[in-house]
Amino acid sequence: MRKYEHVDVIASLGAVMEINTEHYKSDFQYDREMFQKAAQHPDAENTRLLWLSRSSGTECFYERDAYLNESYAHHSWLYHTESRDGILAYAVEITGMEGGRVMGNLYELDVQQHAAKVERDSLPAAFVTLKFEDGAWGRYPYEEYDKRKYSLINLHGKILDKRLEPQDEAVLQARLLEARREREKYRPAVFKVGVHSRKPSIRRELAAGKTKAAPKKAAAKTKNNELGVG
């Protein structure tokens, strides 16, 4: 696998999206906002992300969330990476802004191997911290939250922020560190869209007579709107 260091993250992944994603390209606007926020206001978690491009849209999640079993990120990442066909995925490390550009490092992912690792190393959520529309916030055992979430929403309004926590945060951080150290061993390369992409151009295939055009049914893009959490 290869790593691409000190690249314009939005330009690079945007080019991948343009080549590899046929429908719902507007999804990338959400990803762009996550990258920009991480570069402008970095914290302990938002600069490490997982990103993928598929035929119908893109997905972007904080890496930490993908390793927590009950999170939308975990379920969605495993769902979309079940099939390797048409998926291009990267681990993203945001390093900052430079000349108005979001800079960082990209690491190619073998989606099946990575999904297997996430499934193996993920942890159950033990607690959840919530921030509500009325300004209230609270930290609850996950099982209690799961039983009371609708009554909490009725009482405080929409959930604006939700953070899942494992029983032992140190265990989770150790597993994330292991994955990141392994990626550092990847071979450095120059990012060239179209060279490393595994998906051939459909137009070129049609022009060459290698495939027949067939109707496609686009799968609707679904974002996590459970309880109003983005």
Side-chain angles (χ1 to χ4, degrees):
M1 305 303 290
R2 290 169 286 192
K3 62 181 178 181
Y4 308 96
E5 299 173 296
H6 198 61
V7 300
D8 182 328
V9 171
I10 292 175
S12 299
L13 296 183
V16 172
M17 178 273 295
E18 289 292 347
I19 289 176
N20 194 60
T21 298
E22 298 177 57
H23 311 287
Y24 305 106
K25 293 187 176 186
S26 59
D27 287 353
F28 191 67
Q29 180 59 34
Y30 296 99
D31 311 338
R32 179 195 299 267
E33 291 171 2
M34 291 178 73
F35 300 145
Q36 290 173 333
K37 180 180 178 181
Q40 295 168 358
H41 306 286
D43 60 36
E45 297 170 8
N46 71 356
T47 59
R48 300 279 194 161
L49 309 100
L50 300 175
W51 182 89
L52 66 79
S53 160
R54 64 188 194 282
S55 177
S56 295
T58 65
E59 294 282 0
C60 188
F61 304 109
Y62 296 120
E63 185 178 25
R64 178 187 182 277
D65 292 346
Y67 280 77
L68 290 167
N69 290 342
E70 290 78 8
S71 72
Y72 174 74
H74 177 82
H75 293 293
S76 187
W77 188 260
L78 294 186
Y79 172 78
H80 289 303
T81 55
E82 279 183 356
S83 172
R84 183 171 183 156
D85 296 337
I87 299 291
L88 293 176
Y90 299 84
V92 182
E93 178 186 8
I94 304 297
T95 57
M97 298 290 293
E98 187 175 295
R101 300 176 299 163
V102 176
M103 305 302 294
N105 305 316
L106 304 177
Y107 303 85
E108 284 182 332
L109 297 176
D110 179 304
V111 292
Q112 291 182 333
Q113 289 182 8
H114 186 265
K117 179 174 178 57
V118 168
E119 190 166 22
R120 181 180 69 248
D121 290 349
S122 60
L123 298 169
F127 303 97
V128 57
T129 298
L130 305 173
K131 181 179 178 180
F132 296 95
E133 192 173 23
D134 66 355
W137 69 274
R139 184 174 184 266
Y140 308 88
Y142 187 83
E143 290 185 2
E144 178 186 343
Y145 154 76
D146 200 36
K147 293 176 182 178
R148 295 183 55 203
K149 55 188 172 185
Y150 296 112
S151 62
L152 289 170
I153 291 170
N154 289 334
L155 182 63
H156 298 293
K158 185 167 63 173
I159 295 173
L160 301 181
D161 190 54
K162 174 176 149 183
R163 173 186 164 84
L164 297 177
E165 302 171 25
Q167 186 69 44
D168 189 339
E169 181 70 22
V171 173
L172 174 59
Q173 292 302 320
R175 295 182 183 184
L176 290 170
L177 182 60
E178 177 190 10
R180 293 162 185 172
R181 283 177 173 170
E182 190 62 31
R183 293 197 293 262
E184 287 298 328
K185 301 175 185 177
Y186 290 1
R187 176 171 61 86
V190 176
F191 196 89
K192 294 182 180 179
V193 176
V195 174
H196 69 282
S197 174
R198 292 186 294 272
K199 183 175 180 180
S201 164
I202 292 176
R203 290 184 179 179
R204 289 180 183 176
E205 285 189 352
L206 289 172
K210 294 181 180 179
T211 187
K212 295 181 180 180
K216 282 192 173 183
K217 183 178 180 181
K221 168 68 177 176
T222 59
K223 286 288 183 184
N224 180 27
N225 59 2
E226 179 190 5
L227 309 180
V229 181

Short mmCIF file of all heavy atoms in Angstrom, two decimals, residues 29-59:
data_model
loop_
_atom_site.label_atom_id
_atom_site.label_comp_id
_atom_site.label_asym_id
_atom_site.label_seq_id
_atom_site.Cartn_x
_atom_site.Cartn_y
_atom_site.Cartn_z
N GLN A 29 -19.32 17.69 -0.37
CA GLN A 29 -19.36 18.96 0.35
C GLN A 29 -19.31 18.73 1.85
O GLN A 29 -18.67 19.47 2.59
CB GLN A 29 -20.63 19.74 -0.02
CG GLN A 29 -20.78 21.07 0.69
CD GLN A 29 -19.61 22.01 0.41
OE1 GLN A 29 -19.04 22.02 -0.69
NE2 GLN A 29 -19.24 22.82 1.39
N TYR A 30 -19.98 17.67 2.34
CA TYR A 30 -19.92 17.33 3.77
C TYR A 30 -18.49 16.97 4.17
O TYR A 30 -18.00 17.37 5.23
CB TYR A 30 -20.84 16.16 4.08
CG TYR A 30 -22.30 16.44 3.85
CD1 TYR A 30 -22.94 16.03 2.67
CD2 TYR A 30 -23.07 17.11 4.80
CE1 TYR A 30 -24.28 16.28 2.46
CE2 TYR A 30 -24.41 17.37 4.59
CZ TYR A 30 -25.02 16.95 3.41
OH TYR A 30 -26.35 17.20 3.20
N ASP A 31 -17.82 16.21 3.32
CA ASP A 31 -16.44 15.81 3.60
C ASP A 31 -15.52 17.03 3.65
O ASP A 31 -14.68 17.16 4.54
CB ASP A 31 -15.94 14.83 2.53
CG ASP A 31 -16.91 13.69 2.27
OD1 ASP A 31 -17.73 13.40 3.15
OD2 ASP A 31 -16.85 13.12 1.17
N ARG A 32 -15.71 17.90 2.69
CA ARG A 32 -14.91 19.13 2.61
C ARG A 32 -15.03 19.93 3.92
O ARG A 32 -14.04 20.43 4.46
CB ARG A 32 -15.39 19.98 1.43
CG ARG A 32 -14.65 21.31 1.27
CD ARG A 32 -15.42 22.21 0.32
NE ARG A 32 -15.54 21.63 -1.00
CZ ARG A 32 -14.67 21.86 -2.00
NH1 ARG A 32 -13.65 22.69 -1.80
NH2 ARG A 32 -14.85 21.30 -3.17
N GLU A 33 -16.25 20.04 4.43
CA GLU A 33 -16.47 20.80 5.67
C GLU A 33 -15.77 20.14 6.85
O GLU A 33 -15.22 20.83 7.71
CB GLU A 33 -17.97 20.92 5.92
CG GLU A 33 -18.67 21.82 4.92
CD GLU A 33 -20.19 21.77 5.03
OE1 GLU A 33 -20.69 21.03 5.93
OE2 GLU A 33 -20.88 22.43 4.23
N MET A 34 -15.76 18.80 6.90
CA MET A 34 -15.06 18.10 7.97
C MET A 34 -13.56 18.35 7.89
O MET A 34 -12.90 18.59 8.91
CB MET A 34 -15.35 16.60 7.90
CG MET A 34 -16.78 16.24 8.24
SD MET A 34 -17.13 14.46 8.10
CE MET A 34 -16.25 13.83 9.55
N PHE A 35 -13.01 18.31 6.69
CA PHE A 35 -11.57 18.54 6.51
C PHE A 35 -11.21 19.98 6.91
O PHE A 35 -10.20 20.22 7.57
CB PHE A 35 -11.16 18.30 5.06
CG PHE A 35 -11.41 16.89 4.57
CD1 PHE A 35 -11.80 16.66 3.26
CD2 PHE A 35 -11.27 15.80 5.42
CE1 PHE A 35 -12.03 15.37 2.81
CE2 PHE A 35 -11.50 14.51 4.98
CZ PHE A 35 -11.88 14.29 3.66
N GLN A 36 -12.02 20.93 6.49
CA GLN A 36 -11.74 22.33 6.79
C GLN A 36 -11.82 22.60 8.29
O GLN A 36 -10.98 23.30 8.84
CB GLN A 36 -12.71 23.22 6.02
CG GLN A 36 -12.45 23.25 4.52
CD GLN A 36 -13.51 24.00 3.75
OE1 GLN A 36 -14.66 24.09 4.19
NE2 GLN A 36 -13.15 24.51 2.59
N LYS A 37 -12.82 22.03 8.94
CA LYS A 37 -12.96 22.21 10.38
C LYS A 37 -11.76 21.64 11.12
O LYS A 37 -11.23 22.25 12.06
CB LYS A 37 -14.24 21.54 10.87
CG LYS A 37 -14.46 21.69 12.37
CD LYS A 37 -15.75 21.01 12.81
CE LYS A 37 -15.93 21.12 14.32
NZ LYS A 37 -17.19 20.43 14.77
N ALA A 38 -11.30 20.46 10.67
CA ALA A 38 -10.15 19.82 11.32
C ALA A 38 -8.89 20.66 11.15
O ALA A 38 -8.07 20.77 12.07
CB ALA A 38 -9.94 18.43 10.75
N ALA A 39 -8.72 21.25 9.97
CA ALA A 39 -7.53 22.05 9.71
C ALA A 39 -7.55 23.37 10.48
O ALA A 39 -6.52 23.84 10.96
CB ALA A 39 -7.39 22.31 8.21
N GLN A 40 -8.72 23.96 10.58
CA GLN A 40 -8.85 25.27 11.23
C GLN A 40 -8.99 25.18 12.74
O GLN A 40 -8.54 26.07 13.46
CB GLN A 40 -10.05 26.01 10.63
CG GLN A 40 -9.87 26.34 9.15
CD GLN A 40 -11.15 26.80 8.48
OE1 GLN A 40 -12.20 26.85 9.12
NE2 GLN A 40 -11.07 27.15 7.21
N HIS A 41 -9.61 24.10 13.22
CA HIS A 41 -9.84 23.94 14.66
C HIS A 41 -9.53 22.50 15.06
O HIS A 41 -10.43 21.73 15.42
CB HIS A 41 -11.29 24.28 15.01
CG HIS A 41 -11.73 25.63 14.53
ND1 HIS A 41 -11.32 26.80 15.13
CD2 HIS A 41 -12.52 26.00 13.49
CE1 HIS A 41 -11.86 27.83 14.50
NE2 HIS A 41 -12.59 27.37 13.50
N PRO A 42 -8.27 22.12 15.02
CA PRO A 42 -7.91 20.72 15.33
C PRO A 42 -8.10 20.41 16.81
O PRO A 42 -7.92 21.26 17.67
CB PRO A 42 -6.43 20.65 14.94
CG PRO A 42 -5.93 22.06 15.07
CD PRO A 42 -7.08 22.93 14.67
N ASP A 43 -8.50 19.17 17.07
CA ASP A 43 -8.54 18.68 18.44
C ASP A 43 -7.98 17.27 18.46
O ASP A 43 -7.40 16.81 17.47
CB ASP A 43 -9.96 18.75 19.02
CG ASP A 43 -10.97 17.91 18.24
OD1 ASP A 43 -10.60 16.83 17.75
OD2 ASP A 43 -12.13 18.33 18.14
N ALA A 44 -8.15 16.57 19.57
CA ALA A 44 -7.51 15.27 19.72
C ALA A 44 -8.08 14.21 18.78
O ALA A 44 -7.45 13.17 18.57
CB ALA A 44 -7.66 14.79 21.16
N GLU A 45 -9.24 14.46 18.18
CA GLU A 45 -9.90 13.41 17.41
C GLU A 45 -10.24 13.78 15.97
O GLU A 45 -10.33 12.90 15.12
CB GLU A 45 -11.20 13.00 18.12
CG GLU A 45 -10.97 12.42 19.49
CD GLU A 45 -12.27 12.25 20.27
OE1 GLU A 45 -13.34 12.45 19.67
OE2 GLU A 45 -12.21 11.93 21.45
N ASN A 46 -10.43 15.05 15.67
CA ASN A 46 -11.02 15.37 14.36
C ASN A 46 -10.03 15.41 13.21
O ASN A 46 -10.43 15.60 12.06
CB ASN A 46 -11.82 16.68 14.43
CG ASN A 46 -10.94 17.90 14.58
OD1 ASN A 46 -9.71 17.81 14.72
ND2 ASN A 46 -11.56 19.07 14.58
N THR A 47 -8.73 15.24 13.45
CA THR A 47 -7.76 15.29 12.36
C THR A 47 -7.46 13.92 11.76
O THR A 47 -6.71 13.82 10.79
CB THR A 47 -6.43 15.91 12.83
OG1 THR A 47 -5.90 15.13 13.91
CG2 THR A 47 -6.64 17.34 13.30
N ARG A 48 -8.04 12.87 12.32
CA ARG A 48 -7.84 11.51 11.80
C ARG A 48 -9.19 10.98 11.32
O ARG A 48 -10.12 10.81 12.11
CB ARG A 48 -7.29 10.60 12.89
CG ARG A 48 -5.95 11.05 13.45
CD ARG A 48 -4.81 10.62 12.55
NE ARG A 48 -3.53 10.76 13.22
CZ ARG A 48 -2.42 10.14 12.83
NH1 ARG A 48 -2.45 9.34 11.79
NH2 ARG A 48 -1.29 10.33 13.48
N LEU A 49 -9.27 10.72 10.02
CA LEU A 49 -10.54 10.34 9.44
C LEU A 49 -10.38 9.15 8.49
O LEU A 49 -9.27 8.83 8.05
CB LEU A 49 -11.15 11.51 8.66
CG LEU A 49 -11.26 12.85 9.40
CD1 LEU A 49 -10.11 13.77 8.97
CD2 LEU A 49 -12.58 13.53 9.11
N LEU A 50 -11.52 8.55 8.17
CA LEU A 50 -11.59 7.51 7.14
C LEU A 50 -12.52 8.02 6.05
O LEU A 50 -13.60 8.56 6.34
CB LEU A 50 -12.14 6.21 7.72
CG LEU A 50 -11.34 5.57 8.86
CD1 LEU A 50 -12.08 4.35 9.40
CD2 LEU A 50 -9.95 5.17 8.39
N TRP A 51 -12.10 7.87 4.79
CA TRP A 51 -12.88 8.40 3.67
C TRP A 51 -12.98 7.35 2.57
O TRP A 51 -12.00 6.61 2.32
CB TRP A 51 -12.20 9.66 3.13
CG TRP A 51 -12.93 10.33 2.00
CD1 TRP A 51 -13.90 11.29 2.11
CD2 TRP A 51 -12.74 10.11 0.59
NE1 TRP A 51 -14.33 11.69 0.85
CE2 TRP A 51 -13.63 10.98 -0.09
CE3 TRP A 51 -11.91 9.29 -0.16
CZ2 TRP A 51 -13.71 11.03 -1.49
CZ3 TRP A 51 -11.98 9.32 -1.55
CH2 TRP A 51 -12.87 10.20 -2.20
N LEU A 52 -14.14 7.29 1.93
CA LEU A 52 -14.26 6.39 0.78
C LEU A 52 -15.11 7.01 -0.30
O LEU A 52 -15.98 7.85 -0.06
CB LEU A 52 -14.83 5.03 1.21
CG LEU A 52 -16.25 4.89 1.73
CD1 LEU A 52 -17.31 4.89 0.62
CD2 LEU A 52 -16.40 3.61 2.54
N SER A 53 -14.83 6.58 -1.50
CA SER A 53 -15.61 6.95 -2.68
C SER A 53 -16.20 5.67 -3.25
O SER A 53 -15.52 4.66 -3.39
CB SER A 53 -14.70 7.62 -3.72
OG SER A 53 -15.29 7.57 -5.01
N ARG A 54 -17.48 5.74 -3.57
CA ARG A 54 -18.14 4.62 -4.24
C ARG A 54 -18.96 5.18 -5.40
O ARG A 54 -19.00 6.39 -5.62
CB ARG A 54 -19.03 3.86 -3.26
CG ARG A 54 -20.19 4.63 -2.70
CD ARG A 54 -20.89 3.84 -1.60
NE ARG A 54 -22.19 4.39 -1.24
CZ ARG A 54 -22.39 5.44 -0.48
NH1 ARG A 54 -21.35 6.10 0.02
NH2 ARG A 54 -23.61 5.87 -0.21
N SER A 55 -19.61 4.31 -6.15
CA SER A 55 -20.36 4.76 -7.31
C SER A 55 -21.42 5.79 -6.94
O SER A 55 -21.60 6.78 -7.63
CB SER A 55 -21.01 3.56 -8.00
OG SER A 55 -21.79 3.98 -9.10
N SER A 56 -22.12 5.53 -5.82
CA SER A 56 -23.18 6.45 -5.40
C SER A 56 -22.77 7.18 -4.13
O SER A 56 -23.18 6.82 -3.02
CB SER A 56 -24.49 5.68 -5.17
OG SER A 56 -24.96 5.12 -6.37
N GLY A 57 -21.94 8.20 -4.28
CA GLY A 57 -21.61 9.06 -3.17
C GLY A 57 -20.29 8.77 -2.49
O GLY A 57 -19.53 7.88 -2.89
N THR A 58 -20.02 9.55 -1.46
CA THR A 58 -18.81 9.40 -0.65
C THR A 58 -19.22 9.30 0.81
O THR A 58 -20.35 9.64 1.19
CB THR A 58 -17.86 10.60 -0.81
OG1 THR A 58 -18.49 11.79 -0.30
CG2 THR A 58 -17.47 10.81 -2.28
N GLU A 59 -18.29 8.83 1.65
CA GLU A 59 -18.51 8.77 3.09
C GLU A 59 -17.24 9.23 3.79
O GLU A 59 -16.13 8.95 3.33
CB GLU A 59 -18.85 7.35 3.55
CG GLU A 59 -20.16 6.81 3.04
CD GLU A 59 -21.36 7.34 3.80
OE1 GLU A 59 -21.17 8.15 4.73
OE2 GLU A 59 -22.49 6.95 3.46
#
